[in-house]
Amino acid sequence: MAGLKIRRVLVAGNWKMYKGPAETRAFLATFEPPDGVEVVLCPPYVSLTAAVESGLSVFAQNVHWAQEGAFTGEVSAAMLVELGVQGALVGHSERRQYFGETDETVARRVVAALGAGLRVIACVGESEEEREAGQTELILRLQAEAVRDAVGEHERLVIAYEPVWAIGTGKTATAEQAQEAHAFVKSLLDRPVLYGGSVKPENAAELLGEPDVDGALVGGASLDPGSFAAICRAAVR
Ligand code: PGA
């Protein structure tokens, strides 16, 4: 992958709606990331500045598609750039499930973020019902192609495969399930693919040992500096 700006293994901590600025600074006071892996923090908007001060790579958890305008509650890519934020998550399943995010709005957000010079982690993944109905590849195809058709194999784009049934449930995809889904996504869109869904220090090495697992997107286990550092160490190659 010539020209790839992102080191091959990337571990991102998605804090969701946890940790204001004070808790962010407390986390950073004890968090010791290892060398040899790129670590990204995705705190809530209000904690972005506190996280940027640490010198680590910081991504927002979402980004709007317009440069500015009457969009109450939204934040633009240019505003994130101004804060020193390097990228954004887009299309997390919680955005899709609770906030009406669609493949179309995901694509618009990805276009705007990349256009502003940000990096993007675009999330895809099937629900439990979809997996049981044998629709995993169909859903991954729809979601990944929406992004591919909008921006192609952009060098600042990374995909996260997050099976919805594994997020926050303690149920992790097996390494084989993850590998199979990652290889499928890469057959549609040749970009690095992170695995997300109940990644913990105990299962990180096995998941990250698969050839097409290029890193991890970690929710719950990224909230504790010790467990997040242990996952980052498991990703060192
Ligand atoms: P989890 O969340 O690690 O708590 O399952 C992952 C995510 O939602 O990104």
Side-chain angles (χ1 to χ4, degrees), residues 14 16 92-94 162 166-170 196-199 217-221:
N14 173 17
K16 311 191 178 186
H92 189 279
S93 69
E94 286 153 14
E162 298 207 306
I167 295 178
T169 57
S198 298
V199 176
L217 180 53
V218 187

Side-chain angles (χ1 to χ4, degrees), residues 88-165:
L89 297 180
V90 176
H92 189 279
S93 69
E94 286 153 14
R95 300 297 315 170
R96 295 177 188 262
Q97 225 177 319
Y98 306 135
F99 301 100
E101 199 74 71
T102 64
D103 289 344
E104 190 203 331
T105 57
V106 167
R108 294 178 75 182
R109 293 180 198 277
V110 171
V111 168
L114 293 174
L118 291 172
R119 295 159 61 187
V120 167
I121 299 174
C123 306
V124 300
E126 81 288 357
S127 68
E128 186 148 39
E129 302 74 56
E130 289 161 347
R131 178 165 279 267
E132 279 167 9
Q135 293 177 334
T136 299
E137 291 198 348
L138 171 69
I139 297 300
L140 295 180
R141 179 182 292 280
L142 290 171
Q143 295 180 346
E145 287 186 349
V147 174
R148 185 199 64 194
D149 292 349
V151 295
E153 292 172 342
H154 196 287
E155 65 176 5
R156 277 184 272 111
L157 174 68
V158 168
I159 303 296
Y161 168 61
E162 298 207 306
V164 179
W165 47 271

